[in-house]
Amino acid sequence: MNDGNPTGWSAVSIRPVPADIAQALEAQGFKPERCVLCVDSRVLPDGRYGESWLAVGDERLAVVSRNGHAPEASWTARLNEVKGASTQKVTGGGVLVVNVAGKPQEVLRYDAGHAPLFGEVAQRIQRHVAPPKKEEKDAELAGKGAAESAPSAAAEAPAPPLDFKELLKKQRELTCPSCLRLYPKNTKVCPFCVKRSSTIRRVMAFAKPYRTKILLMAFLMFTGTALHMVEPQIVRILVDDVIGKPQNARMLLPLIALMGLLMFVNYGIGIWRGRLGIWVGCHVTNGIQGQAFEHLQRLSLSYFNKQQTGALMSRVNNDARQMQGFLVEGIQYTVINVLMVIGVIAMLLWMNPLLGLMLLAPMPVVVVLSAVIWKKIHRRFHLLWNAISAATAYLNDALSGVRVIKAFGKESEEVGRFGEKIAYSRDSMIDAEQTWQTLVPVLNMIVHTSLLLVWYFGAQQIYDDPEGKTFTLGSLMAYIAYLGMVYGPLQLLTRLNDWLSRSLTAAARVFEILDVEPEISDRPDAKPLPEVKGEIEMRGVTFGYEKHTPVLKNVSLTIKPGEMIGLVGPSGAGKSTFINLVGRLFDVDEGAILVDGHDIREVKTADLRRQVGYVLQDTFLFSGTVAENIAYARPGATKEEIIEAAVAANAHTFIMKLPDGYDTFLGERGTRVSGGERQRIAIARAILHNPRILILDEATSSVDTETEARIQIALGTLVKGRTTIAIAHRLSTLRHADRLVVIKDGEVLEQGSHAELMAKEGGEYRKLVNIQTEWSRNIAVGG
């Protein structure tokens, strides 16, 4: 990747342009200094994997492709012949389509990861070769309504320069500098370049607050290891000086008692150390889970729109618990066993250097084998945890939508789909575990070959020295005991890769969440936002959930304090996006949104959202009491204030009929009350919140006529004195709005009162009203 001030081909590319590709481009007449873009898609024009490079010059465009052979130009065109550019989705990616002399041509294919890049490339080429017309809409911007506005002039806007510098800069930030792969979405952590040492350091950083207990654990580990080293020496003395010499029988009981005491102390140390390990491991895991959840709360809605809830739950819960196992057992046993292996090897070399070297002979083979299979094991466990997350996410969706499943009689189909998910996770687990279970016996067999050598050569040394001056039977027995002490740790150390594979894969998945940068965050110099009057101004706002596909396009609108605006238009027009931007749930791509003259990106987000209230179509109630749900926005509200808000929301009567009144537990998502009752609880919550700006998104769309009437009464109380933006598909509910704004295809088409817009022949609003009127008439006749 290119840093600093790149030159030559590097200045117009994201990753280095291979020499033969550069030569092929130069053979087509391209020079780096006259080229503005050179990017690759890693997919050939026929859809196979390979290299395809798009070069955009000041006069020409070309695609050079290579698939194991010398690169060649697969497409070229002069820029003045290009009439347009666009992208089309295909399975696994997309296609860049360029219109040359009126004929669309598929010039380059790309994978799904490169869709945003080539989407923006197509947009910039399109704007350059076919600039939009510039129109004046004075009457519309003045708030008189599009019915009275007419273009006063139309002229070709000057073509924007074909400049890709900002696009290249942004794309370089999304590319791993080490392997030049694109980062996964919403993170700048490359899973291919994660280092075990750095991940372990990050995990251990959470343990710093508990360093005293960790130091005590370390002391207990050293002490326990040292005491273990004494036991084989007692065995040697028993065999050589007591059992073989009856005159020393008086030493038998004291030596056995000493062995029993050492055993008792060692078990006591192990219990103490284990309890400390569990305490530290649980606290560290709790800290990681807490920080992950806190970070999730700071992330913008765009992140959650691209994630599965169950997968996130799996990361915060299951993956964090997987790390706990490593912290509680893995690290302890690793340290203890490393100390034990070092101590035992030192003792064996001291007792008999020849036999000690025989013991060490197979160890390099074990180390090399462990290193070779590490990557395979890591990859298999990564796939396993992804499979478990997918199954958890599907289970969450199925249980959340159980009513819909039963309503459509889809129980069998859902059981089948879930069976496929868990079957995949089962197969992934079998693959990972079988790979490991194949390796462990092989490693153990290699390690145990040294035992055969020790028995043979140890016995030979005893035969050669019957006097026992250099090596005795007791020494051999002690040696065998030490070997038994080293075999266990060596086997557990071979399981270290298992622990590391599972735990560090889980840790990397949790840290992926922590490494996601919030798209919506306060600037360092963000200013407090005082209580607002409620004026909202949109200045040339353009926004898209995918930046190359705008949902709102150059929207300009001013809403006066206390004014009620009704947003109308077909589904997908951009109405919900409009209200999401007002509360800064997303940031605009172009333009600005001002509240009382303050750009909302320059003020503290918490201050803004404190003064914006929402009543949504899909009302969400938390698993708690009625009073807790109403007081969610103001946890310190008194019981009287909660009741007052409920009365204003026309909810008090039905609440008092509930088994425990305001203390009635609503269950998950408020399932113990009806849809209309949930909506009125949400209105009471908004009233208690007392926002200066109120947003109503289809607040009455899913209730019957009688319930809608009650909700409308509650909403009438709620909107008084507040700037209100309301969305409704039932246009009749918006007739009393101060102004109606018609949105279609992301653009404001019309503005005005109900009467003004109905008076416009062929107007969009009038068409919508007529369609709904005819639909209602047909429903009435059909009923």
Side-chain angles (χ1 to χ4, degrees):
M1 204 164 91
N2 309 307
D3 300 316
N5 296 309
T7 58
W9 287 109
S10 298
V12 294
S13 65
I14 298 164
R15 68 186 188 98
V17 180
D20 56 348
I21 295 290
Q23 291 175 1
L25 288 171
E26 290 171 2
Q28 293 293 321
F30 285 88
K31 300 295 182 183
E33 60 273 11
R34 299 191 62 184
C35 195
V36 293
L37 181 71
C38 186
V39 292
D40 71 308
S41 68
R42 303 189 181 185
V43 180
L44 294 173
D46 59 7
R48 292 178 297 135
Y49 179 79
E51 280 192 276
S52 289
W53 289 78
L54 170 68
V56 181
D58 54 1
E59 295 181 352
R60 301 179 66 204
L61 294 86
V63 173
V64 172
S65 302
R66 176 179 60 189
N67 183 24
H69 306 289
E72 58 183 16
S74 57
W75 176 83
T76 183
R78 297 190 64 82
L79 189 59
N80 58 12
E81 296 176 345
V82 174
K83 304 303 179 184
S86 62
T87 57
Q88 294 180 356
K89 288 185 178 180
V90 297
T91 302
V95 179
L96 177 64
V97 180
V98 178
N99 187 317
V100 181
K103 295 181 180 180
Q105 300 178 10
E106 293 187 2
V107 303
L108 178 138
R109 288 179 177 258
Y110 50 85
D111 57 28
H114 287 83
L117 168 64
F118 286 101
E120 290 201 36
V121 169
Q123 278 191 353
R124 290 168 189 259
I125 294 174
Q126 175 69 27
R127 286 201 296 263
H128 178 76
V129 301
K133 291 185 177 181
K134 182 180 178 182
E135 297 183 353
E136 297 179 3
K137 298 183 179 180
D138 297 332
E140 181 178 327
L141 298 180
K144 286 292 187 178
E148 303 172 10
S149 66
S152 59
E156 288 289 340
L162 201 53
D163 187 359
F164 295 94
K165 290 180 181 178
E166 287 300 319
L167 176 60
L168 287 168
K169 179 181 178 183
K170 180 177 67 175
Q171 199 68 17
R172 286 169 184 149
E173 292 172 353
L174 299 175
T175 304
C176 174
S178 300
C179 65
L180 298 175
R181 293 183 175 95
L182 286 172
Y183 289 123
K185 286 186 177 180
N186 300 302
T187 181
K188 290 189 177 179
V189 176
C190 179
F192 299 96
C193 301
V194 171
K195 295 181 179 179
R196 282 190 287 177
S197 58
S198 61
T199 304
I200 291 174
R201 282 197 298 270
R202 292 188 67 175
V203 173
M204 296 309 297
F206 286 90
K208 284 185 179 179
Y210 317 110
R211 59 173 62 90
T212 301
K213 286 184 169 58
I214 292 174
L215 289 174
L216 177 58
M217 287 172 58
F219 172 75
L220 294 175
M221 290 177 193
F222 278 105
T223 304
T225 302
L227 293 178
H228 271 296
M229 300 296 295
V230 176
E231 293 179 11
Q233 293 301 321
I234 297 177
V235 171
R236 182 183 61 79
I237 295 173
L238 279 171
V239 172
D240 287 343
D241 299 332
V242 178
I243 296 176
K245 297 179 180 180
Q247 64 271 26
N248 294 333
R250 65 183 185 280
M251 298 174 57
L252 179 62
L253 186 60
L255 288 173
I256 292 176
L258 179 59
M259 289 181 66
L261 178 62
L262 289 175
M263 186 183 303
F264 177 80
V265 172
N266 272 327
Y267 276 112
I269 289 175
I271 292 171
W272 190 4
R273 189 199 68 246
R275 291 174 66 90
L276 282 174
I278 291 172
W279 191 94
V280 171
C282 289
H283 277 76
V284 171
T285 303
N286 182 262
I288 294 174
Q289 285 180 304
Q291 186 168 328
F293 183 76
E294 179 185 354
H295 190 73
L296 282 172
Q297 297 302 307
R298 295 203 303 268
L299 297 179
S300 60
L301 286 181
S302 60
Y303 175 78
F304 295 97
N305 290 341
K306 301 171 185 176
Q307 306 293 328
Q308 289 185 303
T309 302
L312 292 177
M313 291 169 58
S314 177
R315 291 193 183 199
V316 175
N317 286 326
N318 300 344
D319 290 351
R321 292 300 170 190
Q322 180 68 29
M323 283 190 290
Q324 179 179 328
F326 180 70
L327 290 168
V328 172
E329 298 181 353
I331 292 179
Q332 285 192 70
Y333 291 148
T334 298
V335 173
I336 292 171
N337 292 325
V338 167
L339 292 174
M340 184 69 73
V341 169
I342 293 173
V344 168
I345 290 176
M347 183 65 71
L348 293 177
L349 290 173
W350 173 74
M351 290 178 64
N352 193 309
L354 176 62
L355 294 181
L357 291 174
M358 290 180 182
L359 172 67
L360 294 176
M363 288 188 179
V365 179
V366 174
V367 173
V368 170
L369 281 178
S370 297
V372 168
I373 60 105
W374 157 250
K375 290 184 179 180
K376 294 182 180 179
I377 292 292
H378 179 82
R379 183 168 58 252
R380 281 169 169 77
F381 279 112
H382 191 79
L383 292 173
L384 170 61
W385 289 114
N386 283 339
I388 292 174
S389 291
T392 304
Y394 190 84
L395 180 62
N396 177 74
D397 287 344
L399 294 179
S400 299
V402 67
R403 290 188 177 183
V404 177
I405 293 172
K406 290 184 176 296
F408 286 91
K410 295 293 183 181
E411 292 92 340
S412 298
E413 288 86 342
E414 293 300 325
V415 170
R417 293 191 187 102
F418 184 66
E420 292 175 1
K421 298 288 184 182
I422 59 175
Y424 179 69
S425 64
R426 176 203 63 203
D427 294 341
S428 298
M429 181 173 292
I430 290 173
D431 182 38
E433 290 291 350
Q434 284 185 342
T435 300
W436 186 254
Q437 292 301 328
T438 301
L439 172 71
V440 170
V442 172
L443 293 179
N444 288 341
M445 180 186 66
I446 295 172
V447 170
H448 277 81
T449 56
S450 60
L451 178 61
L452 304 177
L453 297 175
V454 168
W455 274 109
Y456 180 80
F457 288 101
Q460 289 294 335
Q461 289 191 22
I462 293 174
Y463 295 153
D464 295 340
D465 184 18
E467 300 292 330
K469 294 180 180 179
T470 58
F471 200 70
T472 64
L473 178 61
S475 299
L476 180 60
M477 296 302 295
Y479 216 90
I480 299 298
Y482 278 125
L483 283 177
M485 292 171 61
V486 80
Y487 283 149
L490 280 175
Q491 291 174 17
L492 286 172
L493 286 178
T494 59
R495 291 288 294 178
L496 177 61
N497 267 344
D498 183 18
W499 273 325
L500 282 174
S501 298
R502 298 170 187 260
S503 303
L504 296 187
T505 300
R509 286 164 52 83
V510 175
F511 291 145
E512 276 187 32
I513 294 177
L514 295 177
D515 291 325
V516 175
E517 297 179 1
E519 293 183 14
I520 307 297
S521 58
D522 289 340
R523 295 178 179 178
D525 58 347
K527 302 174 184 177
L529 181 66
E531 183 173 345
V532 299
K533 297 177 181 178
E535 182 186 56
I536 302 172
E537 182 183 0
M538 283 193 165
R539 294 181 180 174
V541 169
T542 296
F543 171 79
Y545 298 101
E546 298 291 344
K547 295 187 185 299
H548 59 283
T549 309
V551 178
L552 292 180
K553 307 166 187 174
N554 195 30
V555 173
S556 294
L557 182 71
T558 299
I559 304 174
K560 300 174 184 177
E563 186 179 16
M564 181 176 179
I565 293 292
L567 294 181
V568 298
S571 296
K575 303 185 297 297
S576 295
T577 301
F578 186 104
I579 61 174
N580 286 336
L581 293 176
V582 171
R584 207 190 171 199
L585 299 179
F586 300 91
D587 267 342
V588 300
D589 296 330
E590 297 176 15
I593 299 176
L594 288 78
V595 173
D596 282 11
H598 300 280
D599 189 326
I600 61 175
R601 293 169 296 188
E602 297 177 356
V603 299
K604 293 185 176 180
T605 306
D607 291 347
L608 171 67
R609 292 177 181 168
R610 248 193 314 268
Q611 304 189 63
V612 178
Y614 289 85
V615 179
L616 305 175
Q617 174 186 6
D618 185 16
T619 300
F620 187 90
L621 298 183
F622 293 94
S623 181
T625 66
V626 174
E628 289 169 347
N629 273 278
I630 294 176
Y632 182 75
R634 282 178 56 195
T638 64
K639 192 66 173 283
E640 291 74 19
E641 290 173 327
I642 293 172
I643 295 174
E644 184 180 341
V647 170
N650 199 13
H652 178 70
T653 302
F654 86 79
I655 291 174
M656 294 306 297
K657 292 179 181 178
L658 295 174
D660 297 310
Y662 285 85
D663 294 324
T664 300
F665 186 77
L666 293 176
E668 188 175 359
R669 294 178 177 266
T671 53
R672 294 188 63 182
V673 294
S674 68
E677 290 168 343
R678 285 198 298 271
Q679 201 69 293
R680 280 180 278 169
I681 291 175
I683 293 172
R685 181 164 60 192
I687 291 174
L688 189 61
H689 181 37
N690 193 27
R692 299 302 307 150
I693 298 171
L694 178 65
I695 292 172
L696 307 175
D697 187 1
E698 300 286 357
T700 63
S701 65
S702 56
V703 297
D704 56 68
T705 305
E706 183 179 351
T707 302
E708 180 183 359
R710 294 195 184 101
I711 294 175
Q712 288 292 353
I713 294 172
L715 290 176
T717 303
L718 180 59
V719 302
K720 287 181 180 177
R722 311 178 200 276
T723 302
T724 304
I725 304 173
I727 297 176
H729 279 103
R730 292 183 191 172
L731 302 180
S732 58
T733 62
L734 297 177
R735 289 186 177 184
H736 300 295
D738 298 312
R739 184 159 38 119
L740 298 175
V741 177
V742 182
I743 299 179
K744 184 177 181 181
D745 296 330
E747 297 179 326
V748 175
L749 294 186
E750 302 171 354
Q751 295 183 54
S753 66
H754 171 74
E756 290 171 339
L757 296 182
M758 286 298 293
K760 183 180 179 182
E761 286 289 341
E764 185 68 23
Y765 178 76
R766 183 168 174 172
K767 289 180 184 177
L768 292 172
V769 172
N770 291 338
I771 290 172
Q772 284 201 5
T773 302
E774 183 66 24
W775 178 81
S776 299
R777 186 180 298 117
N778 291 338
I779 292 295
V781 172

